[in-house]
Amino acid sequence: MDQGHTSSRRRRLRLLLYFVLGLLLVDGVVRSQEDRWRRCDPDDYQFRLEGCQREHWDLVLVGSSVIAESADPAILRGLSWEGHPLDKVYNLGLPGATTSEVWHAVHHGLVHPPRVLVYGITASDLNGSRNEPHGPSTLMTWSDWPGWLQQRPDAAWWCTRHLVEEQLQQCWGLYRYRNGIRLWSALQLERCWPGTCPDAAAEARGGVQTTAALRRPDGYAPNPTFQTMRFDLRKASGWDGEPFQFLNNYSIGTHLNYLDRLIVWARDQQVRLVLVDMPVTDDLEGRRNPAEFRAYRQALRKRVASSGVSLLTAQRDRVGLTNADFADLIHLNKSGAARFSSWLRQELEHLSPPGARP
Amino acid sequence: MNFATRAFFLFLLVVLLVYHSLRQRQHKYLFLLLASWFFYASWNPWFIGVLLVPTLIDYTAGLLIEQATTLPRKRLWLTLSIVGNLGLLGVFKYTGFLVDNGLSLIRCLGGQVPSWTVELILPLGISFHTFQGISYTIDVYRGKIRAVPRFVDFALFVAFFPQLVAGPIVRAVEFLPQMTEPPPVSGTQVIEGLHWFVLGLFKKVLIADRLAEFMDPIFQQPELYDAATLRWAILAWAARIYCDFSGYSDLAVGCAKWFGFELPLNFNFPYLSESITEFWKRWHISLSTWMRDYLYISLGGSRQGVLRTCANLLATMTLCGLWHGASWNYVLWGFYNGVLLVVHRLYDHALEGVPQSTVVRRHLVYRLFAWACTFTLVATGLIVVRAQTWNGCWLMEKALLGLGTSEGLRMVPLWVPLLIGLVVVGHLYSGLKNVRCQLLLWPEFPRAAVYVMALALIVVFGPGSTKAFIYFQF
C-alpha cells in the first residue's frame, strides 16, 4: 500500500518535473533564436541603442522622432570641429521619447563619450503629462530606478510598474518574444500556404524591412512614409492635420530634471552638448499650441542661461524650410531632412571653438 | 479582473501563497473570503453590495428555517429568501426589459409615453450567486443540509472566487461538507489543477477568442457573405460558445483544486448528444440540474400526467432562456428548447413498447442520423441567441439548412477549420470513451509535453487582449 502510494507520488512529481524542464527547454530554444523573432518584430529603441553602443562615435544626435527623421548622418559626416573632422556620426533618435528617455539612452548608449552631443529638443519632450513606456522597458535597468524616484516622483508608480513588467518578461523568453514568434510563423505559413494569414505576414515583412533599416551603421532609419509625404499638398487637398496628442495637458514637469542631469553628465564627461530647438510647422506652434510652445521655450531658455549650454534655434525661415519640407505637423520629409542637416552642419562648424578652427 | 489576464495570474499566485501559509481554519477562510470579495469588487466596487445583501438574507434565512418549529414559519423564511434573491435578480436584470416592453405595448395600443429607457448596470455573476443562495435555503428547508452557523463559511460558499462570476452553480450539499476543515491539497489535485487550468486557457484564449475574430463580423452583416462562409460561422459560433463557457468552468475547477476544493462537472462533450434531452444533460450541467431539482420538480415534474409534464418542461426551459438574458432572443431560445424537449419526450413515449425500436435506435446509422438532427437543432437555437437582427437570423438559418445563396464574400481562413477540428477531436477522443479527459490517463512525459506545447501556443497565438467570457453577462 505504502509502496503504491510512494510510486504514484513519484509519478506526479515526475510530471511536474517534466513540465518545468519542458518550459525551460522551450525557453532555451526561443532565446537561442532571438534574432529571428526580433527581426520580424523590431524594437527600434533597442536596435538604435545597440548600434550606438557598438562603436566610439565623434558626433551623436539624440532626441525624439523629430531628430530620428531629420538629422541625416551622411550629410553631417566630416564636419570640422576644433580642426578635426567628425567622421563617425550616429543618429540615436527615439520616436516618442521625452527628455527622460533621452537621458537614459545617453547614459546607457554612449559607452564611449562622443566629442559632440546634439540634442534636438521640442515642446513635447518636456511635457510632464507624457510618459513613454519604451523608456522603462528598453532603456532602464534597476540601477536607474532610484534616480527616477528622485527625479520624477510624480511618475514613480508608473515607472515601477513598467520596470517590473519588463523584468518579468525578460524571465520568460517565450512571453517576451511572443509577437515576433507569431509574426515569423505567419511568414513561414504564408510561404507554404499563401492566403493563410496575409495580414500577419505583411506585418512581419514590414518588420523585417524596418530591422534592415535600423541596422544601418549610422542609425538613420527615417520612416519611409514620412520621406515622401508633403504637408503643403496635404493641406491643399483639404486635410487639416491629425490631432497632435503629444502636447495634451501640457505642463513643464519633471522631465526638466533629466535635462539638468544631461547637462551635468556632458560637463563631467567633457562632451560638448548642443541643444537644437527643432523646427515644427507654423500650424502647430502658431495656430494649434502657441501657449505650449511659449512655455517650453521659456523653460528652455532659462536652463540654457543658467548652464551655459549652446542653443541653436532652428526656426523655419533660418533653415529655409516651408510646408513643402514637412511630412506632417512636426516631422520633416526627405527634402526637409536634407535642408535641416546641411543647416545643422554649418551651425555646428560655426560653434566650433574659434582658436581651433582650421 | 478577467481569468485570462496577467492581473488574475498575479492575484491567484498571491492568494494561493498566503492561503497555504496560513495555519488556522478561521484565518484561511477569512482570507479567502476577503480575496474573493476583492476579486468581485475589482470589476466594480458597488457590486459588493449586490453580493452582500443576498448573502446576509440567505444566511439569516437558513438559520431561521432551522430554528423554526412549525412548517408555516419555515415556509415564511424560505419564501423571504427566494423573494429576496429573485427580487434582486429581477431588479438588476429584468427591470429594463420589462419597462421597455411595457412602454412598447402602451405605444402599440396608441398610448402616449415618454421615450426614456431604464439602464441598470448588471452586476457580474448575479444569476449564479443568487441561484446558489436559493439552492441553499431550499436544501435547509428540505432538511438535506444543516444551516451554516458561521457567517464567514456561508459567505465563502457564495463568494468563492473561482466560480463566483460564471459558475458552475455549486450546491450547498456539494460544497459545504468540503469546508468542515480546510481540505489539504493532494499531489493529484495539484497536477489535475494544472491540467484543467491549461485546458481552460487553451479553450478560451486560443480557440474561443480566435474564432470570435472570424465569426463576429459575419454575424454582424451576414448578407455580405455566401452560404458556405455562413455555415462556417455557425460552426465557429457553436465551437466558440462551448470553448468559452467550458473553458471558464475548467479554469474554475483547476483553481479550486489548488485550494483543495472539488467543483462539479459542468460540461460533458455536449456536441456528441444524440437527442436534445441528452444535450441538456451534457450542457451547463449545474444549471440544468438546478432547474430540474428546484423548478421542474417543484412544478410537479413528470408526476401529473403527460400534458402537465409538457407544460412543466416548456415553463422550465422558457425560464431557463430568460435566466440567460433579458431579451426576446433568449426567451425564444428557451421556449424553442422546451418545445424540442417536449417533442422528444412524446417521441420516446410513443416508441415505448414498440417491438424492435430499441434495436433500431442502437444501430449506428440511426445514431448518426439522430446526432446530425440534434446538432442541427442545437445550432438553430444558437443562431437565435447570437443573431443581431431577425433578418440576419433568417439568413443564417437558411444557410444552415443548405438553402443559402452562393453569392457574396467567401472568406474562411485555414485556421478556422483547424480550430473547429480541435473541438471535434476533443469530443471524439475523450467523449466517445466516456472519460472526463483522456489526456489525464496518458503517461507523464507526453502529458507534460502536451501541457508545455499548449502553454506555448496560448502565449504565442492567443489574441493580445482577452475578450470577456460570454457567460459573465448572464
Side-chain angles (χ1 to χ4, degrees):
Chain A
M1 180 78 182
D2 268 358
Q3 270 183 346
H5 183 74
T6 314
S7 90
S8 94
R9 198 174 157 195
R10 267 197 205 136
R11 272 208 307 275
R12 285 193 299 267
L13 281 177
R14 224 160 32 201
L15 193 141
L16 271 185
L17 186 72
Y18 289 150
F19 179 65
V20 173
L21 286 176
L23 286 179
L24 290 174
L25 183 72
V26 169
D27 202 57
V29 172
V30 166
R31 281 179 197 276
S32 72
Q33 301 292 317
E34 65 179 9
D35 191 57
R36 201 182 286 272
W37 327 128
R38 284 178 58 194
R39 251 186 300 150
C40 293
D41 182 28
D43 178 341
D44 54 348
Y45 276 39
Q46 206 172 10
F47 274 120
R48 287 174 207 262
L49 198 69
E50 285 170 2
C52 190
Q53 283 165 340
R54 261 196 294 273
E55 286 195 48
H56 190 160
W57 304 98
D58 295 326
L59 166 64
V60 173
L61 305 135
V62 288
S64 62
S65 57
V66 290
I67 207 83
E69 297 297 329
S70 318
D72 185 350
I75 296 174
L76 290 158
R77 194 172 302 132
L79 83 85
S80 178
W81 186 265
E82 292 176 344
H84 300 284
L86 299 178
D87 285 329
K88 291 190 157 188
V89 184
Y90 192 81
N91 186 323
L92 184 56
L94 306 169
T98 63
T99 307
S100 304
E101 279 73 60
V102 168
W103 154 251
H104 287 106
V106 165
H107 184 53
H108 292 290
L110 301 182
V111 184
H112 312 284
R115 290 168 66 194
V116 184
L117 176 66
V118 173
Y119 176 14
I121 191 169
T122 190
S124 55
D125 290 30
L126 295 181
N127 186 359
S129 308
R130 278 188 65 215
N131 288 313
E132 169 55 46
H134 245 93
S137 63
T138 310
L139 303 173
M140 285 175 71
T141 63
W142 279 112
S143 63
D144 300 311
W145 184 62
W148 182 287
L149 298 187
Q150 213 176 7
Q151 306 294 335
R152 302 205 54 213
D154 49 321
W157 166 244
W158 174 88
C159 171
T160 309
R161 186 165 61 84
H162 282 278
L163 207 49
V164 168
E165 273 182 14
E166 175 58 21
Q167 300 302 315
L168 286 175
Q169 280 202 34
Q170 283 189 9
C171 297
W172 195 11
L174 186 71
Y175 188 73
R176 189 179 184 197
Y177 297 114
R178 64 192 183 284
N179 200 38
I181 299 171
R182 186 178 65 82
L183 294 175
W184 179 84
S185 311
L187 210 52
Q188 308 311 312
L189 270 176
E190 194 64 18
R191 270 183 201 148
C192 300
W193 297 287
T196 316
C197 36
D199 296 343
E203 193 185 337
R205 275 190 285 271
V208 171
Q209 279 169 6
T210 308
T211 302
L214 285 168
R215 282 184 168 164
R216 272 180 54 155
D218 59 12
Y220 185 51
N223 186 331
T225 324
F226 288 156
Q227 289 274 289
T228 50
M229 264 201 283
R230 273 180 59 174
F231 188 60
D232 59 335
L233 297 182
R234 293 171 82 190
K235 274 189 78 173
S237 66
W239 178 82
D240 196 31
E242 61 272 319
F244 191 74
Q245 293 161 347
F246 294 89
L247 296 175
N248 284 359
N249 305 319
Y250 197 79
S251 65
I252 298 291
T254 45
H255 290 303
L256 211 50
N257 295 338
Y258 274 114
L259 182 59
D260 292 340
R261 279 191 86 165
L262 188 66
I263 292 168
V264 171
W265 176 88
R267 203 166 47 215
D268 291 350
Q269 302 289 329
Q270 294 177 325
V271 173
R272 178 69 185 270
L273 174 65
V274 180
L275 297 178
V276 181
D277 183 3
M278 294 297 286
V280 298
T281 54
D282 183 47
D283 285 63
L284 187 67
E285 66 171 323
R287 200 157 62 85
R288 290 192 183 206
N289 301 90
E292 286 80 357
F293 273 89
R294 261 198 309 275
Y296 146 73
R297 292 216 166 99
Q298 203 178 358
L300 188 64
R301 283 203 192 101
K302 218 166 139 186
R303 277 304 190 275
V304 168
S306 62
S307 63
V309 172
S310 314
L311 171 69
L312 299 175
T313 307
Q315 282 169 342
R316 287 180 304 279
D317 48 351
R318 286 187 65 196
V319 182
L321 297 171
T322 64
N323 277 348
D325 299 308
F326 282 90
D328 61 10
L329 286 166
I330 196 161
H331 299 110
L332 292 171
N333 58 24
K334 195 173 180 178
S335 71
R339 227 178 277 263
F340 169 78
S341 303
S342 305
W343 173 87
L344 183 62
R345 182 186 173 115
Q346 224 171 15
E347 292 296 313
L348 286 174
E349 282 181 337
H350 281 128
L351 265 185
S352 179
R357 207 179 291 169
Chain B
M1 202 189 306
N2 203 332
F3 264 21
T5 57
R6 282 181 297 182
F8 178 75
F9 299 145
L10 189 67
F11 166 81
L12 180 65
L13 189 71
V14 171
V15 173
L16 277 169
L17 285 175
V18 177
Y19 177 80
H20 289 297
S21 64
L22 293 170
R23 286 281 154 258
Q24 291 190 7
R25 181 189 188 281
Q26 67 266 36
H27 294 162
K28 273 177 175 279
Y29 285 171
L30 181 63
F31 170 72
L32 201 50
L33 173 65
L34 293 175
S36 297
W37 280 349
F38 171 78
F39 171 76
Y40 197 60
S42 70
W43 307 93
N44 184 337
W46 294 104
F47 287 179
I48 272 293
V50 183
L51 185 64
L52 270 176
V53 170
T55 304
L56 279 166
I57 291 174
D58 296 328
Y59 169 71
T60 316
L63 289 174
L64 291 171
I65 290 170
E66 194 167 73
Q67 284 162 12
T69 48
T70 61
L71 198 60
R73 279 240 161 242
K74 280 180 191 276
R75 258 191 207 147
L76 172 71
W77 298 127
L78 175 66
T79 311
L80 278 177
S81 156
I82 293 174
V83 169
N85 281 291
L86 293 183
L88 203 70
L89 189 61
V91 166
F92 281 102
K93 196 163 177 175
Y94 302 109
T95 308
F97 178 63
L98 290 174
V99 170
D100 285 352
N101 282 284
L103 292 177
S104 299
L105 187 67
I106 296 170
R107 264 183 229 119
C108 282
L109 296 172
Q112 293 286 319
V113 283
S115 59
W116 46 263
T117 53
V118 177
E119 276 184 26
L120 288 175
I121 299 173
L122 180 65
L124 279 170
I126 187 168
S127 310
F128 292 91
H129 65 73
T130 48
F131 268 36
Q132 224 164 284
I134 292 172
S135 79
Y136 164 75
T137 45
I138 294 180
D139 283 348
V140 173
Y141 173 80
R142 287 176 179 172
K144 281 189 180 171
I145 48 162
R146 301 288 312 272
V148 182
R150 295 190 189 92
F151 176 74
V152 171
D153 288 13
F154 179 75
L156 180 57
F157 154 66
V158 176
F160 184 46
F161 76 86
Q163 46 87 70
L164 176 60
V165 285
I169 302 169
V170 183
R171 307 272 187 93
V173 280
E174 292 166 333
F175 198 77
L176 289 173
Q178 296 184 54
M179 288 182 66
T180 317
E181 281 302 319
V185 183
S186 66
T188 310
Q189 279 178 312
V190 173
I191 300 292
E192 287 192 357
L194 176 74
H195 170 90
W196 293 112
F197 199 83
V198 172
L199 187 69
L201 272 183
F202 190 85
K203 282 179 178 175
K204 166 66 183 160
V205 176
L206 208 71
I207 302 182
D209 286 359
R210 278 278 172 217
L211 286 177
E213 288 174 4
F214 163 69
M215 52 144 290
D216 277 348
I218 297 175
F219 269 88
Q220 204 79 34
Q221 288 180 298
E223 63 278 2
L224 298 182
Y225 300 88
D226 73 342
T229 308
L230 295 185
R231 276 193 285 277
W232 277 110
I234 296 164
L235 286 178
W237 168 228
R240 179 194 167 191
I241 192 167
Y242 165 72
C243 287
D244 194 285
F245 192 22
S246 74
Y248 180 90
S249 295
D250 292 344
L251 283 166
V253 167
C255 287
K257 277 182 190 287
W258 288 334
F259 291 97
F261 293 105
E262 294 293 337
L263 298 183
L265 179 75
N266 215 16
F267 286 85
N268 186 19
F269 308 104
Y271 294 138
L272 288 180
S273 307
E274 290 168 23
S275 72
I276 197 74
T277 310
E278 188 187 350
F279 176 79
W280 279 102
K281 284 179 181 162
R282 288 170 175 267
W283 178 274
H284 201 172
I285 299 168
S286 64
L287 174 70
S288 48
T289 51
W290 194 101
M291 285 289 186
R292 182 196 64 201
D293 294 346
Y294 298 106
L295 184 62
Y296 177 69
I297 290 177
S298 303
L299 290 170
S302 55
R303 288 162 300 176
Q304 294 163 329
V306 178
L307 264 180
R308 183 64 191 268
T309 305
C310 294
N312 290 344
L313 271 174
L314 276 177
T316 305
M317 291 312 293
T318 308
L319 286 172
C320 178
L322 194 61
W323 176 90
H324 278 85
S327 80
W328 287 110
N329 294 46
Y330 285 109
V331 176
L332 183 65
W333 174 71
F335 181 76
Y336 165 78
N337 276 282
V339 171
L340 293 182
L341 284 172
V342 165
V343 171
H344 184 251
R345 198 173 186 93
L346 294 175
Y347 173 70
D348 257 358
H349 198 63
L351 286 182
E352 258 175 38
V354 175
Q356 299 296 314
S357 73
T358 317
V359 179
V360 172
R361 293 177 84 177
R362 278 187 190 155
H363 196 276
L364 183 67
V365 175
Y366 177 87
R367 288 179 60 193
L368 278 174
F369 177 71
W371 168 81
C373 287
T374 307
F375 183 78
T376 310
L377 291 170
V378 168
T380 304
L382 289 177
I383 294 170
V384 174
V385 173
R386 183 64 182 79
Q388 305 279 310
T389 60
W390 293 114
N391 190 34
C393 179
W394 175 238
L395 274 177
M396 300 295 266
E397 298 289 5
K398 273 204 310 190
L400 179 67
L401 299 172
L403 301 171
T405 167
S406 58
E407 285 171 16
L409 289 172
R410 175 168 289 201
M411 189 206 67
V412 186
L414 184 72
W415 50 267
V416 171
L418 204 73
L419 293 181
I420 295 172
L422 281 178
V423 180
V424 175
V425 169
H427 269 64
L428 296 179
Y429 185 57
S430 295
L432 285 183
K433 290 184 179 153
N434 214 14
V435 286
R436 201 168 169 184
C437 185
Q438 187 83 347
L439 191 61
L440 284 169
L441 307 175
W442 280 23
E444 302 86 57
F445 184 75
R447 207 171 133 192
V450 168
Y451 295 152
V452 171
M453 212 156 63
L455 208 58
L457 289 171
I458 291 165
V459 170
V460 175
F461 294 107
S465 59
T466 311
K467 292 174 167 39
F469 287 89
I470 295 172
Y471 263 66
F472 279 9
Q473 63 188 290
F474 303 148

